[in-house]
Amino acid sequence: MKKVLVTGAAGFIGSCFARRLFRERDDVSIVVLDKLTYAGNLANLEPLAGSPRYRFVKGDIADPEAVRDAMEGCDTVLNFAAETHVDRSLQGAAHFLDTDIKGVFVLLEEARRIGVEKFIQISTDEVYGQILEGEFKETDPLNPRNPYSAAKCGGDRLAYSYWASYGVPVIVTRASNNYGPYHYPEKVIPLFITNAIDDLPLPLYGDGRNVRDWLHVEDHAAGLIFLLEHGKAGETYNIGGGNEVMNVDLTRRILELLGKPETLIRPVADRPGHDRRYALNTDKLKALGWAPTVAFDKGLEDTVKWFVEHESWWRPIKERDPEFKAWYAKNYAERLAAPQTPA
Ligand code: NAD
Ligand code: DAU
């Protein structure tokens, strides 16, 4: 039986991947290593709970002992664990460096020591920086422009260096913006959906004309399972949804799906260094045989429905988690008190 270590699997994407792998492959056992930061939630892994094919280890990927324990006997590693929110990185980057660089180093050292068969480092399209026209290819230079993406870039290249220097079978993936169920409500789609449900303002940064390429989280998970079989060590693969949407249009679509008025849109002070547009060329992965399957309109509609039907998942975070409340006040209080001219 294959034994796969999935780090950060109590979070949004890692849990989707773990649930999907668990569902689709009964010849695989899964070890999860997760620190359970504010973004980690064991409820996301409920379908695996109690199975003999699943073990949960609470620990930090930057802690060599925790990593040694969790990786024991594993032949495959996927590293999802990271500090992931750009806005938080702008207010303090120390945790980002600890997890997104040093954590990757500790995992790579252990993977090298025990000789794993495959190590997938989940990187991000943000390592390329912004692109005003065209699409980024895997061979394009990296130019991260905020502390989160700079830290992820460090992890991305460190992972590659362990392939180039020591032959650790590393694959690096760079995905575009994910959306779907279990998305932590600090990120724009779940924040705006849940605020709109409660008739709270939707704080749209700057002129609202920044563009993101949305990838359904199930398509991302499917792409990673595909790469477990078809990906080649030493290679980097872009994983994009091909759904470029301007933030203001995204916001309007969310309001329309919920039957809420556009007066909820509140233009606020921009994110410093706000990347204008991301766009990925995914020909390399498509040539291998993978393509996204979820149309954005349907994916967004289903996501809105999921949040409407799963208040028991997000209300405790937004209403009772003091960490979330503190974050919301820190990032938004001033902004909402001084709205900008509408987009
Ligand atoms: P998330 O914030 O929802 O979850 C992160 C998980 O990592 C949490 O369960 C958290 O507890 C865990 N974690 C954090 N620090 C840890 C540490 N030191 N040790 C062990 N566990 C730790 O993140 P996500 O949105 O699911 O992103 C997962 C990965 O995908 C990240 O590496 C991120 O950079 C990458 N990515 C995300 C997106 C996106 O749109 N969300 C797009 C491309 C790439
Ligand atoms: O592109 C991949 C990246 O996508 C991942 O690597 C990151 O982990 C993930 O968080 C995401 O980063 P973004 O910064 O693009 O996501 P976020 O949801 O924070 O913001 C999406 C867009 O919405 C961005 O242009 C900023 C804008 N925004 C965001 C928030 C939270 C707002 O206008 N208002 C907000 O309150």
Short mmCIF file of all heavy atoms in Angstrom, two decimals, residues 84-87 124-126 148 175-177 186-188 191-192 203-205 210 212 247 271 274 278 332, ligand 2:
data_model
loop_
_atom_site.label_atom_id
_atom_site.label_comp_id
_atom_site.label_asym_id
_atom_site.label_seq_id
_atom_site.Cartn_x
_atom_site.Cartn_y
_atom_site.Cartn_z
N THR A 84 -0.71 31.52 4.08
CA THR A 84 -1.19 31.70 2.71
C THR A 84 -1.83 33.05 2.38
O THR A 84 -2.18 33.29 1.22
CB THR A 84 -2.24 30.61 2.37
OG1 THR A 84 -3.35 30.75 3.29
CG2 THR A 84 -1.66 29.22 2.46
N HIS A 85 -2.01 33.90 3.39
CA HIS A 85 -2.78 35.11 3.08
C HIS A 85 -1.88 36.32 2.86
O HIS A 85 -1.16 36.76 3.76
CB HIS A 85 -3.77 35.39 4.21
CG HIS A 85 -4.84 36.38 3.84
ND1 HIS A 85 -5.29 36.56 2.56
CD2 HIS A 85 -5.56 37.24 4.60
CE1 HIS A 85 -6.22 37.50 2.53
NE2 HIS A 85 -6.41 37.93 3.76
N VAL A 86 -1.96 36.87 1.65
CA VAL A 86 -1.12 38.01 1.26
C VAL A 86 -1.28 39.17 2.24
O VAL A 86 -0.29 39.78 2.70
CB VAL A 86 -1.49 38.47 -0.17
CG1 VAL A 86 -0.79 39.77 -0.53
CG2 VAL A 86 -1.15 37.39 -1.19
N ASP A 87 -2.53 39.50 2.59
CA ASP A 87 -2.75 40.65 3.49
C ASP A 87 -2.08 40.45 4.83
O ASP A 87 -1.54 41.40 5.41
CB ASP A 87 -4.25 40.89 3.69
CG ASP A 87 -4.93 41.39 2.42
OD1 ASP A 87 -4.31 42.20 1.71
OD2 ASP A 87 -6.05 40.96 2.13
N THR A 124 2.83 28.54 -6.08
CA THR A 124 1.70 29.41 -6.47
C THR A 124 2.06 30.24 -7.70
O THR A 124 3.24 30.55 -7.93
CB THR A 124 1.34 30.36 -5.30
OG1 THR A 124 0.48 31.39 -5.77
CG2 THR A 124 2.57 31.02 -4.68
N ASP A 125 1.04 30.66 -8.44
CA ASP A 125 1.31 31.54 -9.59
C ASP A 125 1.85 32.90 -9.15
O ASP A 125 2.42 33.63 -9.95
CB ASP A 125 0.06 31.70 -10.47
CG ASP A 125 -1.12 32.38 -9.80
OD1 ASP A 125 -1.06 32.66 -8.58
OD2 ASP A 125 -2.11 32.66 -10.51
N GLU A 126 1.66 33.22 -7.86
CA GLU A 126 2.14 34.53 -7.39
C GLU A 126 3.65 34.66 -7.44
O GLU A 126 4.18 35.77 -7.35
CB GLU A 126 1.64 34.80 -5.96
CG GLU A 126 0.17 35.02 -5.90
CD GLU A 126 -0.27 35.83 -4.69
OE1 GLU A 126 0.55 36.52 -4.07
OE2 GLU A 126 -1.47 35.78 -4.40
N TYR A 148 4.39 37.27 1.13
CA TYR A 148 3.88 35.89 0.98
C TYR A 148 4.50 35.25 -0.26
O TYR A 148 5.08 34.15 -0.19
CB TYR A 148 2.35 35.87 0.87
CG TYR A 148 1.80 34.62 0.21
CD1 TYR A 148 1.84 33.39 0.88
CD2 TYR A 148 1.26 34.65 -1.08
CE1 TYR A 148 1.36 32.23 0.27
CE2 TYR A 148 0.77 33.51 -1.69
CZ TYR A 148 0.82 32.30 -1.02
OH TYR A 148 0.34 31.15 -1.63
N ALA A 175 -0.20 26.89 -8.93
CA ALA A 175 -1.63 27.01 -9.26
C ALA A 175 -2.08 28.45 -9.18
O ALA A 175 -1.50 29.28 -8.48
CB ALA A 175 -2.45 26.15 -8.32
N SER A 176 -3.18 28.72 -9.90
CA SER A 176 -3.81 30.04 -9.80
C SER A 176 -4.79 30.04 -8.63
O SER A 176 -4.88 29.08 -7.88
CB SER A 176 -4.51 30.36 -11.12
OG SER A 176 -5.53 29.41 -11.38
N ASN A 177 -5.53 31.14 -8.46
CA ASN A 177 -6.45 31.30 -7.31
C ASN A 177 -7.49 30.19 -7.26
O ASN A 177 -8.25 30.02 -8.22
CB ASN A 177 -7.19 32.63 -7.42
CG ASN A 177 -6.34 33.79 -7.02
OD1 ASN A 177 -5.31 34.05 -7.64
ND2 ASN A 177 -6.73 34.49 -5.98
N GLU A 186 -11.30 34.39 5.11
CA GLU A 186 -10.51 35.63 5.00
C GLU A 186 -10.25 35.96 3.53
O GLU A 186 -9.92 37.09 3.21
CB GLU A 186 -9.16 35.47 5.72
CG GLU A 186 -8.23 34.47 5.03
CD GLU A 186 -6.98 34.11 5.78
OE1 GLU A 186 -6.65 34.76 6.78
OE2 GLU A 186 -6.31 33.14 5.35
N LYS A 187 -10.35 34.95 2.63
CA LYS A 187 -10.04 35.14 1.22
C LYS A 187 -11.26 35.72 0.51
O LYS A 187 -12.39 35.59 0.98
CB LYS A 187 -9.60 33.81 0.57
CG LYS A 187 -8.47 33.10 1.32
CD LYS A 187 -7.12 33.74 1.14
CE LYS A 187 -6.05 33.28 2.12
NZ LYS A 187 -5.84 31.88 2.27
N VAL A 188 -11.05 36.36 -0.64
CA VAL A 188 -12.10 37.23 -1.16
C VAL A 188 -13.44 36.52 -1.42
O VAL A 188 -14.49 37.05 -1.05
CB VAL A 188 -11.61 38.02 -2.40
CG1 VAL A 188 -11.53 37.18 -3.66
CG2 VAL A 188 -12.47 39.24 -2.62
N LEU A 191 -15.12 35.40 1.90
CA LEU A 191 -15.41 36.59 2.70
C LEU A 191 -16.61 37.34 2.14
O LEU A 191 -17.53 37.73 2.87
CB LEU A 191 -14.18 37.51 2.76
CG LEU A 191 -14.39 38.81 3.52
CD1 LEU A 191 -14.52 38.54 5.02
CD2 LEU A 191 -13.26 39.80 3.28
N PHE A 192 -16.60 37.52 0.82
CA PHE A 192 -17.68 38.30 0.20
C PHE A 192 -19.01 37.53 0.26
O PHE A 192 -20.07 38.13 0.48
CB PHE A 192 -17.32 38.69 -1.24
CG PHE A 192 -16.35 39.86 -1.32
CD1 PHE A 192 -15.64 40.29 -0.20
CD2 PHE A 192 -16.15 40.55 -2.52
CE1 PHE A 192 -14.75 41.37 -0.27
CE2 PHE A 192 -15.27 41.63 -2.60
CZ PHE A 192 -14.57 42.04 -1.47
N PRO A 203 -15.68 44.71 1.24
CA PRO A 203 -14.57 45.67 1.07
C PRO A 203 -13.72 45.36 -0.16
O PRO A 203 -12.80 44.54 -0.12
CB PRO A 203 -13.75 45.48 2.37
CG PRO A 203 -14.06 44.08 2.82
CD PRO A 203 -15.41 43.73 2.30
N LEU A 204 -14.04 46.06 -1.25
CA LEU A 204 -13.35 45.83 -2.52
C LEU A 204 -12.13 46.75 -2.60
O LEU A 204 -12.26 47.97 -2.55
CB LEU A 204 -14.33 46.13 -3.66
CG LEU A 204 -13.90 45.83 -5.08
CD1 LEU A 204 -13.61 44.35 -5.29
CD2 LEU A 204 -15.00 46.29 -6.05
N TYR A 205 -10.95 46.13 -2.74
CA TYR A 205 -9.70 46.92 -2.73
C TYR A 205 -9.54 47.76 -4.00
O TYR A 205 -9.78 47.26 -5.12
CB TYR A 205 -8.48 46.01 -2.63
CG TYR A 205 -8.33 45.25 -1.33
CD1 TYR A 205 -7.52 44.11 -1.29
CD2 TYR A 205 -8.95 45.65 -0.15
CE1 TYR A 205 -7.34 43.41 -0.11
CE2 TYR A 205 -8.78 44.95 1.03
CZ TYR A 205 -7.97 43.82 1.05
OH TYR A 205 -7.80 43.11 2.21
N ASN A 210 -8.54 44.61 -10.52
CA ASN A 210 -7.50 43.57 -10.53
C ASN A 210 -8.12 42.25 -11.01
O ASN A 210 -9.30 42.00 -10.76
CB ASN A 210 -6.93 43.39 -9.11
CG ASN A 210 -6.27 44.66 -8.64
OD1 ASN A 210 -6.95 45.67 -8.49
ND2 ASN A 210 -4.98 44.64 -8.43
N ARG A 212 -7.98 37.97 -11.39
CA ARG A 212 -7.47 36.69 -10.93
C ARG A 212 -8.01 35.60 -11.86
O ARG A 212 -9.09 35.74 -12.43
CB ARG A 212 -7.90 36.41 -9.48
CG ARG A 212 -7.30 37.41 -8.46
CD ARG A 212 -5.80 37.24 -8.36
NE ARG A 212 -5.15 38.12 -7.40
CZ ARG A 212 -4.61 39.31 -7.66
NH1 ARG A 212 -4.68 39.81 -8.89
NH2 ARG A 212 -4.00 40.00 -6.72
N ASN A 247 -12.11 41.65 -10.21
CA ASN A 247 -12.72 41.56 -8.88
C ASN A 247 -14.11 42.18 -8.80
O ASN A 247 -14.99 41.65 -8.14
CB ASN A 247 -11.80 42.23 -7.85
CG ASN A 247 -10.52 41.45 -7.63
OD1 ASN A 247 -10.46 40.26 -7.94
ND2 ASN A 247 -9.50 42.11 -7.10
N ARG A 271 -4.75 47.24 -1.38
CA ARG A 271 -3.67 46.42 -0.79
C ARG A 271 -2.35 46.99 -1.32
O ARG A 271 -2.21 47.18 -2.54
CB ARG A 271 -3.88 44.98 -1.26
CG ARG A 271 -2.73 44.03 -0.99
CD ARG A 271 -2.98 42.66 -1.66
NE ARG A 271 -3.94 41.85 -0.94
CZ ARG A 271 -4.37 40.67 -1.38
NH1 ARG A 271 -3.94 40.16 -2.52
NH2 ARG A 271 -5.24 39.98 -0.66
N HIS A 274 -0.44 45.70 -4.69
CA HIS A 274 -1.49 44.79 -5.19
C HIS A 274 -1.21 44.34 -6.62
O HIS A 274 -1.28 45.15 -7.56
CB HIS A 274 -2.82 45.55 -5.13
CG HIS A 274 -4.02 44.70 -5.28
ND1 HIS A 274 -5.29 45.21 -5.13
CD2 HIS A 274 -4.18 43.39 -5.56
CE1 HIS A 274 -6.17 44.25 -5.30
NE2 HIS A 274 -5.51 43.13 -5.57
N TYR A 278 -3.08 38.11 -12.71
CA TYR A 278 -2.35 36.84 -12.87
C TYR A 278 -2.97 36.09 -14.03
O TYR A 278 -4.21 36.09 -14.18
CB TYR A 278 -2.49 35.95 -11.62
CG TYR A 278 -1.99 36.55 -10.32
CD1 TYR A 278 -2.73 36.41 -9.15
CD2 TYR A 278 -0.78 37.21 -10.24
CE1 TYR A 278 -2.28 36.92 -7.94
CE2 TYR A 278 -0.32 37.74 -9.04
CZ TYR A 278 -1.08 37.59 -7.89
OH TYR A 278 -0.64 38.10 -6.71
N TYR A 332 -9.56 45.68 8.35
CA TYR A 332 -10.69 46.36 7.71
C TYR A 332 -11.26 47.58 8.44
O TYR A 332 -11.92 48.39 7.81
CB TYR A 332 -11.83 45.36 7.44
CG TYR A 332 -11.43 44.29 6.44
CD1 TYR A 332 -11.16 42.99 6.86
CD2 TYR A 332 -11.31 44.60 5.09
CE1 TYR A 332 -10.79 42.01 5.94
CE2 TYR A 332 -10.94 43.63 4.17
CZ TYR A 332 -10.67 42.34 4.61
OH TYR A 332 -10.30 41.39 3.70
O1 DAU B 2 -2.85 33.27 -7.00
C1 DAU B 2 -2.71 32.29 -6.03
C2 DAU B 2 -2.88 32.91 -4.67
O2 DAU B 2 -4.27 33.23 -4.55
C3 DAU B 2 -2.47 31.98 -3.53
O3 DAU B 2 -1.10 31.71 -3.65
C4 DAU B 2 -2.79 32.62 -2.18
O4 DAU B 2 -2.47 31.73 -1.12
C5 DAU B 2 -4.26 32.95 -2.14
O5 DAU B 2 -4.59 33.60 -0.93
C6 DAU B 2 -4.65 33.82 -3.33
O6 DAU B 2 -4.04 35.13 -3.20
P1 DAU B 2 -4.83 36.47 -3.57
O7 DAU B 2 -4.18 37.60 -2.87
O8 DAU B 2 -5.03 36.59 -5.03
O9 DAU B 2 -6.26 36.10 -2.89
P2 DAU B 2 -7.29 36.99 -2.04
O10 DAU B 2 -8.54 36.18 -1.91
O11 DAU B 2 -6.68 37.51 -0.82
O12 DAU B 2 -7.58 38.21 -3.01
C7 DAU B 2 -8.13 38.00 -4.31
C8 DAU B 2 -8.35 39.37 -4.95
O13 DAU B 2 -9.37 40.05 -4.22
C9 DAU B 2 -7.13 40.26 -4.88
O14 DAU B 2 -7.05 41.03 -6.06
C10 DAU B 2 -7.40 41.17 -3.69
C11 DAU B 2 -8.91 41.30 -3.69
N1 DAU B 2 -9.52 41.47 -2.36
C12 DAU B 2 -9.21 40.57 -1.39
C13 DAU B 2 -9.75 40.68 -0.11
C14 DAU B 2 -9.41 39.68 0.95
C15 DAU B 2 -10.40 42.53 -2.11
O15 DAU B 2 -10.69 43.32 -3.00
N2 DAU B 2 -10.92 42.64 -0.86
C16 DAU B 2 -10.63 41.77 0.15
O16 DAU B 2 -11.15 41.96 1.28
#
